Amino acid sequence: MKKLLNILILLALSAQISFAKSYEPVPSTVKLPEKYTQEYIDSISDEYKKVSNEQIFHVALDMLKGTSGDFSRKAILGYNVTQTPVKVMFKDLSELNEAYKTFDAIGWKAKGKLYIYINPKHEYAPPGALAALLAHEAIHQDEYNSLSEETYAWTMEAVVWSEILKMYPESNNLESALVTRENILKQLLEKGNNTNKYIKKTVFANEGYKNLPLTSPGFKNQ
């Protein structure tokens, strides 16, 4: 009986080790806020395991708590039009369409499931910047898009980045291309006195959005 119990304990420990190894850890070169020890990250990973096996996204999603992007965090967890978790991963966007090669990220729907694909050039970006980007992409939950929807998503991203910087100032790594993007959006938000005035102008002037309609379901021109 004792021998059987020892075997069961060993099997349980092996299963736990195997489970832990199924996650891709945050790259060692990425600087994390002090609270995100490996022990803490492991403790939150169970909540986000259906979203991604990469712990940098687990951290990014956790950082959305207490921000305007918590809506997006919940949407990614499954509170969206599909009622299933959004799959988040790094992906060569040219595999979807050559026109997307230089995009930072894209929201995608295929066979009734939602995906958020992040350009691999941001693999070492601060998770706070990834959090702001995810807050944006989680807004897109169907096949329809519009200038108004993009304006809302870009404004959400800017607001969340501003909030992230107050909570986790170490996220402002100026060597990161994604941080450069986020800081530009933050400047546009502040220039418009925390309204979408200048972000809207930027979206409407974006060549990549020239064929989008003005509105889409749930998003009116503002």
Side-chain angles (χ1 to χ4, degrees):
M1 185 67 181
K2 185 176 180 181
K3 184 177 180 180
L4 177 61
L5 182 60
N6 288 336
I7 291 173
L8 290 174
I9 291 172
L10 286 172
L11 287 173
L13 288 172
S14 297
Q16 288 176 1
I17 292 170
S18 175
F19 181 74
K21 287 184 177 179
S22 67
Y23 296 127
E24 287 292 329
V26 177
S28 59
T29 55
V30 175
K31 183 179 180 181
L32 297 175
E34 187 176 343
K35 70 177 279 188
Y36 290 101
T37 63
Q38 189 58 53
E39 182 180 9
Y40 179 80
I41 296 171
D42 289 340
S43 75
I44 64 173
S45 284
D46 189 55
E47 182 176 8
Y48 303 112
K49 64 184 180 182
K50 292 184 179 179
V51 171
S52 177
N53 72 332
E54 298 185 67
Q55 289 189 317
I56 194 166
F57 291 127
H58 300 176
V59 173
L61 289 166
D62 190 72
M63 292 174 81
L64 287 176
K65 291 179 178 179
T67 75
S68 300
D70 197 44
F71 165 85
S72 292
R73 185 184 71 87
K74 292 174 181 176
I76 289 172
L77 283 173
Y79 296 93
N80 57 64
V81 295
T82 69
Q83 292 299 296
T84 58
V86 180
K87 296 295 184 182
V88 179
M89 66 191 76
F90 292 109
K91 185 180 180 66
D92 181 351
L93 301 182
S94 66
E95 293 178 7
L96 301 173
N97 189 314
E98 186 63 28
Y100 303 150
K101 184 177 182 178
T102 61
F103 283 26
D104 290 308
I106 192 166
W108 198 259
K109 189 175 184 181
K111 297 181 180 180
K113 294 184 178 181
L114 293 171
Y115 300 84
I116 295 176
Y117 297 128
I118 310 292
N119 194 312
K121 69 182 180 180
H122 298 313
E123 282 183 325
Y124 304 102
L130 289 170
L133 188 61
L134 290 174
H136 170 141
E137 294 301 335
I139 299 301
H140 306 305
Q141 298 182 19
D142 54 32
E143 300 87 348
Y144 308 101
N145 197 8
S146 65
L147 293 170
S148 297
E149 184 169 335
E150 286 294 350
T151 298
Y152 183 90
W154 285 96
T155 304
M156 169 69 79
E157 183 175 349
V159 169
V160 170
W161 176 241
S162 297
E163 294 171 346
I164 288 284
L165 286 183
K166 292 177 181 177
M167 297 167 66
Y168 307 104
E170 56 271 84
S171 297
N172 199 23
N173 178 358
L174 300 179
E175 295 181 0
S176 166
L178 186 55
V179 168
T180 298
R181 162 192 167 118
E182 301 307 330
N183 282 333
I184 289 173
L185 286 177
K186 180 174 178 286
Q187 290 167 9
L188 290 173
L189 182 70
E190 292 170 347
K191 185 178 178 181
N193 293 317
N194 293 314
T195 70
N196 68 11
K197 179 179 179 180
Y198 289 100
I199 290 177
K200 182 177 181 178
K201 287 183 178 180
T202 302
V203 168
F204 276 59
N206 190 314
E207 188 68 16
Y209 298 151
K210 65 180 180 181
N211 294 321
L212 289 182
L214 179 60
T215 63
S216 53
F219 296 92
K220 298 180 180 180
N221 184 33
Q222 296 182 2

